[in-house]
Amino acid sequence: MNLVYSVVIPCYNEEAVITESYRRLSDVMRGMQEPYELVFVNDGSRDKTAEMLNDLAAQDSNVRVIHFARNGGHQIAVTAGLDYATGQAIVIIDADLQDPPEVIPQMAERWLEGAQVVYGQRRSRAGESAFKLKTAELYYRLMQRLTNNAFPRDTGDFRLVDERVADVIRGMPEHARYLRGMFAWAGFKQEPLLYDRDKRFAGETHYSLKKMLKLAADGVMSFSDKPLKLPLWVGLFWLGLGALVAFILLILAIAGRPGGLWWMASLMAVLGGSVLTSLGIMGAYLARIYDEAKDRPLYIVAETRGFPEEI
Ligand code: UDP
Ligand code: MG
């Protein structure tokens, strides 16, 4: 039997929500009347999540469970789910019901109409602190700047992707994984789907400030080399300024007016500028090394025409 839909659900200490998310997801998926699987990834939970998931797998043949030996983090858990999922369309959704499962049929509809990535775009976010909303807003703005608007805003990991897109992600071995960025980077036919993000059904966030900052840093560093090259521009500015001052002082000196301490200032600007410039040049090399180290595919083929059929 060929599976049509896979749903990947990362779970970390979610005993308070598992039963309810399973119920709502199953309702929605059954309603779609196609073969499906629910791929739960237990990201090293220390509560009853593991037992509860095993029970579900024992009762329901649509349920698959992957248990991590230790906590690997949300993005890694989703990566594992993608690797194991076998559906033609794969949905990524949080376990805590902040992303409403009832949106999945709308995503599937877009997919059936030809979209290859349907990403959930938040129209509103219930139950989030003012702090989280503000920092998220600032972060998205910074990201847009640093990556020349490569990513859609107000978009998390909730999305449906075609198996061909999933294959691209499976072939990206980078360790610092910022999945929403990787999906955007992959290309293909992408469409937003507006939805209202709910508050957590139960339990509390597992994204500590530290994990959040790491995700934010991964996003910037995996998709922008601008920070590495920043010293180059600052350095060139000081170098230019120092040289200009020196030039003016030289003319004044020829006219018989010694520059005095200004020479010192110009020397310092030239020296500081040179150091920064060489740091920026090193940054440019480092960015290249980093790019090679990420080992991303050079090109991504969406489809081919006219080749003889493979046997
Ligand atoms: N999660 C995970 N590993 C972690 C942290 C979180 O698999 O180390 C899962 C979690 O169970 C949930 C999703 O990732 O399904 C999003 O986490 P959470 O709801 O805590 O984050 P928030 O919505 O507050 O950003
Ligand atoms: Mg959540």
Side-chain angles (χ1 to χ4, degrees), residues 59-246:
Q59 292 160 25
D60 181 344
S61 62
N62 299 309
V63 172
R64 330 247 183 270
V65 185
I66 300 154
H67 294 290
F68 275 7
R70 62 166 178 80
N71 181 246
H74 174 225
Q75 302 287 303
I76 306 298
V78 174
T79 300
L82 279 173
D83 285 344
Y84 278 82
T86 56
Q88 294 162 27
I90 302 168
V91 177
I92 301 167
I93 190 167
D94 281 358
D96 59 2
L97 295 169
Q98 282 198 281
D99 310 322
E102 291 71 23
V103 174
I104 296 175
Q106 297 172 44
M107 290 181 161
E109 212 169 287
R110 300 282 186 93
W111 173 63
L112 290 169
E113 288 164 10
Q116 290 163 306
V117 175
V118 186
Y119 55 90
Q121 195 160 38
R122 300 180 279 251
R123 186 166 32 203
S124 66
R125 298 179 81 163
E128 302 280 21
S129 64
F131 175 74
K132 176 136 183 179
L133 291 179
K134 198 69 215 163
T135 48
E137 151 102 36
L138 283 174
Y139 177 65
Y140 282 117
R141 226 188 276 165
L142 176 75
M143 262 321 251
Q144 304 267 345
R145 269 279 180 86
L146 288 176
T147 62
N148 303 327
N149 301 323
F151 304 139
R153 49 175 305 137
D154 293 326
T155 301
D157 291 303
F158 182 34
R159 64 188 62 226
L160 176 148
V161 301
D162 186 89
E163 60 184 338
R164 274 169 291 181
V165 183
D167 266 340
V168 174
I169 305 300
R170 289 172 188 135
M172 291 172 77
E174 58 198 79
H175 282 213
R177 296 182 87 74
Y178 185 70
L179 286 166
R180 59 197 78 165
M182 291 162 69
F183 280 115
W185 180 87
F188 290 93
K189 201 164 177 288
Q190 311 226 2
E191 280 181 21
L193 187 86
L194 287 175
Y195 76 105
D196 296 300
R197 192 159 161 93
D198 283 336
K199 59 176 189 295
R200 208 172 216 289
F201 173 73
E204 48 194 64
T205 178
H206 300 115
Y207 259 98
S208 54
L209 190 61
K210 200 170 133 206
K211 275 187 184 167
M212 209 68 212
L213 287 175
K214 180 177 181 305
L215 183 71
D218 281 349
V220 172
M221 292 191 199
S222 301
F223 289 93
S224 173
D225 53 15
K226 286 188 184 172
L228 271 177
K229 292 181 182 161
L230 186 68
L232 185 63
W233 302 113
V234 180
L236 284 175
F237 170 78
W238 285 108
L239 200 58
L241 193 68
L244 184 71
V245 171

Side-chain angles (χ1 to χ4, degrees), residues 37-58:
E37 63 180 355
L38 301 179
V39 183
F40 288 94
V41 184
N42 168 21
D43 184 11
S45 300
R46 266 169 273 143
D47 62 356
K48 297 236 161 50
T49 300
E51 290 88 328
M52 293 173 75
L53 290 176
N54 285 343
D55 285 349
L56 291 177

